[in-house]
Amino acid sequence: MLCAPKMGPFLLNAVRWLARGQTGKVGVNTRLENLCALLSEHGLECSLEPHLTGDLRVYCCVAYCDKEAKRLQEFVAEGGGLLIGGQAWWWSSQNPGCSALGSFPGNIIVNCFGLSILARTLDPGCFPVPTPEKRSYHFRKALSEFQSILNHRGGNLEKSWLAKLGADGAAFLQIPAEGVPAYASLHRLLRKMLRLSGLPAVSRENPIASDSCEATVLCLATELAHSSTDCSELAQGLGPWSCSSNRYPSEDAITVEIDGSNPGSGDSWVSTGLYLLNGQNAEVSLSEAATSAGLKIQIGCHTDDLTSASKLSRAPVVTYQCSMDRTKRSVSCLWGGLLYVIVPKGSKLGPVSITIKRAVPAPYYRLGKTSLEEWKKRIQESPAPWGELATENIILTVPTADLRALEDPEPMLHLWDEMMQAIAKLAAQPFPFRRPERIVADVQISAGWMHSGYPIMCHLESVQEFISENVMRNRGLWGPIHELGHNQQRHGWEFPPHTTEATCNLWSVYVHETVLAIPRAQAHPALSPPEREKRIKTHLGKGAPLRDWDVWTALETYLQLQEAFGWEPFTQLFAEYQTLSGIPRDNAAKMNLWVKKFSEKVQKNLAPFFEAWGWPVQKEVAASLACLPAWQENPMWVYIQAEG
């Protein structure tokens, strides 16, 4: 933006305004060569400079390096003009767990001037300049009105202002206030406001609207607790979703050994088996050698952000993550939560000792390591409201109340490991998994009945479905396996949006049939023979339009192939795709590659089969496969002939 020709008039005006009519040279950082040319063309005396120099009137630079932060701040304090710009969204995406408001290089420079660059993005467009008559949002003005409402003194706050105040207030609290009196005073004001108002008792039984004052209080209180504020007073009376903090943890330190290696393709959460009560601060210590490994501490596992939900059964954000880049750190989360060490992908750190003060043991069962006696003791004694059941391949996070009804987790977890082995086998992935998959139950999630990811999220109602061996063996487990299937999908052989909700079900079918001995027709009502036949006829009756080839209709294509050729071609292809290079990005080309690869794998010409389903098979691909034997048993012939 600082070099865009269309921004020319704005940039010239900005530099002239910064110079305040005084003569002097304009220094332009060497990363903004085009800006220097633009300013020179319009008669401004400027030069390219690798660093800020003392003879400048105005200095122009980007916001991606804070090496000269102190010098730049002094330069501005002494009357110099600073034109600085950049976006923080990329930095934020590359530094999860770090606040862009507090740690982005540009913000380290400009925060003390009362300015900050947010990590959010805006849609491009034209934005009218506000007129003086138009009542426009202002953070301090909105905060003043909000304070009046909390103090029951009236106050007039539009809904749109209220929502923005919650987001802006939470962002503001991420800015380091130390040494900036204006910020520190606002921190004190917010602390006082929230202590006087208290927190709303939000729960499933008592939900609140996301555009309400209560929701704004939740946003502000959550972030206030992260800004090194003692949140024990705020945490009183949080309701049944979190743990009561009237039981104070022991000051005795607990040391846990974790594996600091992670060969997986994403960051891994390593459970400590400990829980931080809401409103408490934990002190975390580790060795000097481990501080450079990129480890993070995370409080809580309910990572879904509910900011966009219309109703809230809990605060929008209830987890907190911070970098362990020093040997000792105090961490807290208003809502409490299970404690994790986040190990970055590719880490080869090996065994690490982590010492934690003021946390309590949580119910935690590890298959093959925890004895039944230990398990029963933990269940009876732990005050933590959440616990975990773990194998090398899957970790289930559920309410302690549900765990108390589980007398012996071992048979159920053995079954889970059998299912995970089947998932790995079909996906042609190593077993044990490089990092265990996770399923976390929550009172409210951000999308759907369940959703995939790390972790997979589900509602509390689903807990009994996946922690009961009897239920899994007799009724099946379609939903959780469906989500685990999503986690196995890969770009090379996926054709979104057509197959997004289809190919993941291959894993559901495979696990139900090979592990649970439940045939596909019984595993899901949509797979009964009459339903399958009806879908095929309906699709062909419409002319097999590709736009309608999705979900169960798309799955049918793959099921027909599997029923004819078995699972082996799928496993072999999933393995082959992991080593393929130059895979095209567009659906049509990717679909043709799959037609070619599957045909070659089974040594049959499958082009007519895929064409019958409406796939855009290219003439060259069809011609290249004509040398293979025809698929005489093509299950689509009978329907095509009937249509004809």
PDB file of all heavy atoms in Angstrom, residues 78-98:
ATOM      1  N   GLU A  78      10.749  13.368  19.742  1.00  0.00           N
ATOM      2  CA  GLU A  78      11.498  14.614  19.547  1.00  0.00           C
ATOM      3  C   GLU A  78      10.982  15.428  18.370  1.00  0.00           C
ATOM      4  O   GLU A  78      11.606  16.421  17.968  1.00  0.00           O
ATOM      5  CB  GLU A  78      12.984  14.283  19.344  1.00  0.00           C
ATOM      6  CG  GLU A  78      13.634  13.733  20.618  1.00  0.00           C
ATOM      7  CD  GLU A  78      14.983  13.085  20.366  1.00  0.00           C
ATOM      8  OE1 GLU A  78      15.441  13.120  19.203  1.00  0.00           O
ATOM      9  OE2 GLU A  78      15.562  12.531  21.319  1.00  0.00           O
ATOM     10  N   GLY A  79       9.835  15.015  17.799  1.00  0.00           N
ATOM     11  CA  GLY A  79       9.207  15.831  16.754  1.00  0.00           C
ATOM     12  C   GLY A  79       9.332  15.300  15.353  1.00  0.00           C
ATOM     13  O   GLY A  79       8.841  15.919  14.405  1.00  0.00           O
ATOM     14  N   GLY A  80       9.996  14.147  15.162  1.00  0.00           N
ATOM     15  CA  GLY A  80      10.122  13.568  13.824  1.00  0.00           C
ATOM     16  C   GLY A  80       8.803  12.973  13.355  1.00  0.00           C
ATOM     17  O   GLY A  80       7.943  12.604  14.154  1.00  0.00           O
ATOM     18  N   GLY A  81       8.650  12.880  12.041  1.00  0.00           N
ATOM     19  CA  GLY A  81       7.438  12.291  11.462  1.00  0.00           C
ATOM     20  C   GLY A  81       7.714  10.863  11.014  1.00  0.00           C
ATOM     21  O   GLY A  81       8.732  10.598  10.377  1.00  0.00           O
ATOM     22  N   LEU A  82       6.803   9.942  11.338  1.00  0.00           N
ATOM     23  CA  LEU A  82       6.991   8.537  10.981  1.00  0.00           C
ATOM     24  C   LEU A  82       5.824   8.050  10.134  1.00  0.00           C
ATOM     25  O   LEU A  82       4.671   8.106  10.557  1.00  0.00           O
ATOM     26  CB  LEU A  82       7.096   7.686  12.253  1.00  0.00           C
ATOM     27  CG  LEU A  82       7.222   6.168  12.048  1.00  0.00           C
ATOM     28  CD1 LEU A  82       8.534   5.811  11.350  1.00  0.00           C
ATOM     29  CD2 LEU A  82       7.124   5.437  13.388  1.00  0.00           C
ATOM     30  N   LEU A  83       6.124   7.583   8.922  1.00  0.00           N
ATOM     31  CA  LEU A  83       5.128   6.933   8.074  1.00  0.00           C
ATOM     32  C   LEU A  83       5.471   5.445   8.066  1.00  0.00           C
ATOM     33  O   LEU A  83       6.521   5.046   7.561  1.00  0.00           O
ATOM     34  CB  LEU A  83       5.174   7.488   6.646  1.00  0.00           C
ATOM     35  CG  LEU A  83       4.219   6.832   5.633  1.00  0.00           C
ATOM     36  CD1 LEU A  83       2.771   7.040   6.027  1.00  0.00           C
ATOM     37  CD2 LEU A  83       4.462   7.356   4.225  1.00  0.00           C
ATOM     38  N   ILE A  84       4.624   4.638   8.669  1.00  0.00           N
ATOM     39  CA  ILE A  84       4.906   3.214   8.814  1.00  0.00           C
ATOM     40  C   ILE A  84       3.664   2.421   8.439  1.00  0.00           C
ATOM     41  O   ILE A  84       2.545   2.856   8.710  1.00  0.00           O
ATOM     42  CB  ILE A  84       5.363   2.890  10.261  1.00  0.00           C
ATOM     43  CG1 ILE A  84       5.715   1.404  10.411  1.00  0.00           C
ATOM     44  CG2 ILE A  84       4.316   3.301  11.290  1.00  0.00           C
ATOM     45  CD1 ILE A  84       6.404   1.076  11.739  1.00  0.00           C
ATOM     46  N   GLY A  85       3.850   1.294   7.784  1.00  0.00           N
ATOM     47  CA  GLY A  85       2.686   0.506   7.386  1.00  0.00           C
ATOM     48  C   GLY A  85       3.025  -0.962   7.190  1.00  0.00           C
ATOM     49  O   GLY A  85       4.181  -1.340   7.012  1.00  0.00           O
ATOM     50  N   GLY A  86       1.995  -1.774   7.247  1.00  0.00           N
ATOM     51  CA  GLY A  86       2.137  -3.215   7.048  1.00  0.00           C
ATOM     52  C   GLY A  86       0.917  -3.919   7.591  1.00  0.00           C
ATOM     53  O   GLY A  86       0.103  -3.323   8.292  1.00  0.00           O
ATOM     54  N   GLN A  87       0.786  -5.194   7.250  1.00  0.00           N
ATOM     55  CA  GLN A  87      -0.331  -5.983   7.772  1.00  0.00           C
ATOM     56  C   GLN A  87       0.209  -7.032   8.738  1.00  0.00           C
ATOM     57  O   GLN A  87       1.325  -7.506   8.598  1.00  0.00           O
ATOM     58  CB  GLN A  87      -1.137  -6.612   6.639  1.00  0.00           C
ATOM     59  CG  GLN A  87      -0.330  -7.232   5.504  1.00  0.00           C
ATOM     60  CD  GLN A  87       0.264  -8.586   5.809  1.00  0.00           C
ATOM     61  OE1 GLN A  87      -0.095  -9.217   6.775  1.00  0.00           O
ATOM     62  NE2 GLN A  87       1.188  -9.031   4.986  1.00  0.00           N
ATOM     63  N   ALA A  88      -0.638  -7.407   9.709  1.00  0.00           N
ATOM     64  CA  ALA A  88      -0.198  -8.342  10.749  1.00  0.00           C
ATOM     65  C   ALA A  88      -0.819  -9.727  10.607  1.00  0.00           C
ATOM     66  O   ALA A  88      -0.497 -10.616  11.390  1.00  0.00           O
ATOM     67  CB  ALA A  88      -0.535  -7.766  12.130  1.00  0.00           C
ATOM     68  N   TRP A  89      -1.695  -9.933   9.638  1.00  0.00           N
ATOM     69  CA  TRP A  89      -2.407 -11.209   9.583  1.00  0.00           C
ATOM     70  C   TRP A  89      -1.468 -12.370   9.264  1.00  0.00           C
ATOM     71  O   TRP A  89      -1.623 -13.463   9.809  1.00  0.00           O
ATOM     72  CB  TRP A  89      -3.569 -11.159   8.587  1.00  0.00           C
ATOM     73  CG  TRP A  89      -3.195 -10.926   7.157  1.00  0.00           C
ATOM     74  CD1 TRP A  89      -3.137  -9.737   6.501  1.00  0.00           C
ATOM     75  CD2 TRP A  89      -2.807 -11.919   6.194  1.00  0.00           C
ATOM     76  NE1 TRP A  89      -2.740  -9.911   5.200  1.00  0.00           N
ATOM     77  CE2 TRP A  89      -2.524 -11.250   4.978  1.00  0.00           C
ATOM     78  CE3 TRP A  89      -2.665 -13.302   6.234  1.00  0.00           C
ATOM     79  CZ2 TRP A  89      -2.116 -11.906   3.821  1.00  0.00           C
ATOM     80  CZ3 TRP A  89      -2.255 -13.968   5.077  1.00  0.00           C
ATOM     81  CH2 TRP A  89      -1.993 -13.266   3.893  1.00  0.00           C
ATOM     82  N   TRP A  90      -0.482 -12.161   8.384  1.00  0.00           N
ATOM     83  CA  TRP A  90       0.444 -13.252   8.054  1.00  0.00           C
ATOM     84  C   TRP A  90       1.313 -13.596   9.265  1.00  0.00           C
ATOM     85  O   TRP A  90       1.502 -14.765   9.596  1.00  0.00           O
ATOM     86  CB  TRP A  90       1.310 -12.876   6.856  1.00  0.00           C
ATOM     87  CG  TRP A  90       2.384 -13.893   6.577  1.00  0.00           C
ATOM     88  CD1 TRP A  90       3.713 -13.783   6.790  1.00  0.00           C
ATOM     89  CD2 TRP A  90       2.187 -15.217   6.043  1.00  0.00           C
ATOM     90  NE1 TRP A  90       4.373 -14.938   6.442  1.00  0.00           N
ATOM     91  CE2 TRP A  90       3.453 -15.835   5.976  1.00  0.00           C
ATOM     92  CE3 TRP A  90       1.062 -15.935   5.635  1.00  0.00           C
ATOM     93  CZ2 TRP A  90       3.630 -17.141   5.511  1.00  0.00           C
ATOM     94  CZ3 TRP A  90       1.247 -17.241   5.172  1.00  0.00           C
ATOM     95  CH2 TRP A  90       2.508 -17.824   5.112  1.00  0.00           C
ATOM     96  N   TRP A  91       1.829 -12.558   9.925  1.00  0.00           N
ATOM     97  CA  TRP A  91       2.643 -12.787  11.135  1.00  0.00           C
ATOM     98  C   TRP A  91       1.831 -13.566  12.160  1.00  0.00           C
ATOM     99  O   TRP A  91       2.336 -14.508  12.779  1.00  0.00           O
ATOM    100  CB  TRP A  91       3.090 -11.438  11.711  1.00  0.00           C
ATOM    101  CG  TRP A  91       3.976 -11.564  12.916  1.00  0.00           C
ATOM    102  CD1 TRP A  91       5.344 -11.556  12.933  1.00  0.00           C
ATOM    103  CD2 TRP A  91       3.566 -11.729  14.275  1.00  0.00           C
ATOM    104  NE1 TRP A  91       5.802 -11.717  14.221  1.00  0.00           N
ATOM    105  CE2 TRP A  91       4.739 -11.821  15.065  1.00  0.00           C
ATOM    106  CE3 TRP A  91       2.330 -11.813  14.905  1.00  0.00           C
ATOM    107  CZ2 TRP A  91       4.698 -11.987  16.450  1.00  0.00           C
ATOM    108  CZ3 TRP A  91       2.287 -11.980  16.288  1.00  0.00           C
ATOM    109  CH2 TRP A  91       3.453 -12.056  17.044  1.00  0.00           C
ATOM    110  N   SER A  92       0.576 -13.199  12.324  1.00  0.00           N
ATOM    111  CA  SER A  92      -0.285 -13.853  13.304  1.00  0.00           C
ATOM    112  C   SER A  92      -0.488 -15.323  12.959  1.00  0.00           C
ATOM    113  O   SER A  92      -0.466 -16.186  13.841  1.00  0.00           O
ATOM    114  CB  SER A  92      -1.635 -13.136  13.366  1.00  0.00           C
ATOM    115  OG  SER A  92      -2.450 -13.681  14.364  1.00  0.00           O
ATOM    116  N   SER A  93      -0.661 -15.621  11.666  1.00  0.00           N
ATOM    117  CA  SER A  93      -0.868 -17.012  11.252  1.00  0.00           C
ATOM    118  C   SER A  93       0.374 -17.857  11.475  1.00  0.00           C
ATOM    119  O   SER A  93       0.284 -19.060  11.682  1.00  0.00           O
ATOM    120  CB  SER A  93      -1.279 -17.074   9.774  1.00  0.00           C
ATOM    121  OG  SER A  93      -0.176 -16.776   8.928  1.00  0.00           O
ATOM    122  N   GLN A  94       1.542 -17.220  11.437  1.00  0.00           N
ATOM    123  CA  GLN A  94       2.798 -17.943  11.631  1.00  0.00           C
ATOM    124  C   GLN A  94       3.243 -17.996  13.089  1.00  0.00           C
ATOM    125  O   GLN A  94       4.218 -18.667  13.422  1.00  0.00           O
ATOM    126  CB  GLN A  94       3.913 -17.285  10.791  1.00  0.00           C
ATOM    127  CG  GLN A  94       3.667 -17.309   9.300  1.00  0.00           C
ATOM    128  CD  GLN A  94       3.450 -18.716   8.778  1.00  0.00           C
ATOM    129  OE1 GLN A  94       4.343 -19.555   8.846  1.00  0.00           O
ATOM    130  NE2 GLN A  94       2.252 -18.990   8.263  1.00  0.00           N
ATOM    131  N   ASN A  95       2.534 -17.280  13.952  1.00  0.00           N
ATOM    132  CA  ASN A  95       2.903 -17.239  15.372  1.00  0.00           C
ATOM    133  C   ASN A  95       1.696 -17.524  16.254  1.00  0.00           C
ATOM    134  O   ASN A  95       1.284 -16.681  17.061  1.00  0.00           O
ATOM    135  CB  ASN A  95       3.506 -15.862  15.722  1.00  0.00           C
ATOM    136  CG  ASN A  95       4.842 -15.624  15.049  1.00  0.00           C
ATOM    137  OD1 ASN A  95       5.889 -15.987  15.555  1.00  0.00           O
ATOM    138  ND2 ASN A  95       4.798 -15.009  13.877  1.00  0.00           N
ATOM    139  N   PRO A  96       1.104 -18.728  16.110  1.00  0.00           N
ATOM    140  CA  PRO A  96      -0.070 -19.045  16.936  1.00  0.00           C
ATOM    141  C   PRO A  96       0.301 -19.032  18.408  1.00  0.00           C
ATOM    142  O   PRO A  96       1.403 -19.425  18.794  1.00  0.00           O
ATOM    143  CB  PRO A  96      -0.449 -20.463  16.473  1.00  0.00           C
ATOM    144  CG  PRO A  96       0.794 -21.018  15.849  1.00  0.00           C
ATOM    145  CD  PRO A  96       1.515 -19.850  15.254  1.00  0.00           C
ATOM    146  N   GLY A  97      -0.615 -18.539  19.214  1.00  0.00           N
ATOM    147  CA  GLY A  97      -0.338 -18.447  20.649  1.00  0.00           C
ATOM    148  C   GLY A  97       0.323 -17.147  21.050  1.00  0.00           C
ATOM    149  O   GLY A  97       0.499 -16.874  22.236  1.00  0.00           O
ATOM    150  N   CYS A  98       0.698 -16.328  20.057  1.00  0.00           N
ATOM    151  CA  CYS A  98       1.295 -15.014  20.340  1.00  0.00           C
ATOM    152  C   CYS A  98       0.313 -13.934  19.900  1.00  0.00           C
ATOM    153  O   CYS A  98      -0.257 -14.012  18.815  1.00  0.00           O
ATOM    154  CB  CYS A  98       2.614 -14.829  19.593  1.00  0.00           C
ATOM    155  SG  CYS A  98       3.907 -15.958  20.101  1.00  0.00           S
TER     156      CYS A  98
END
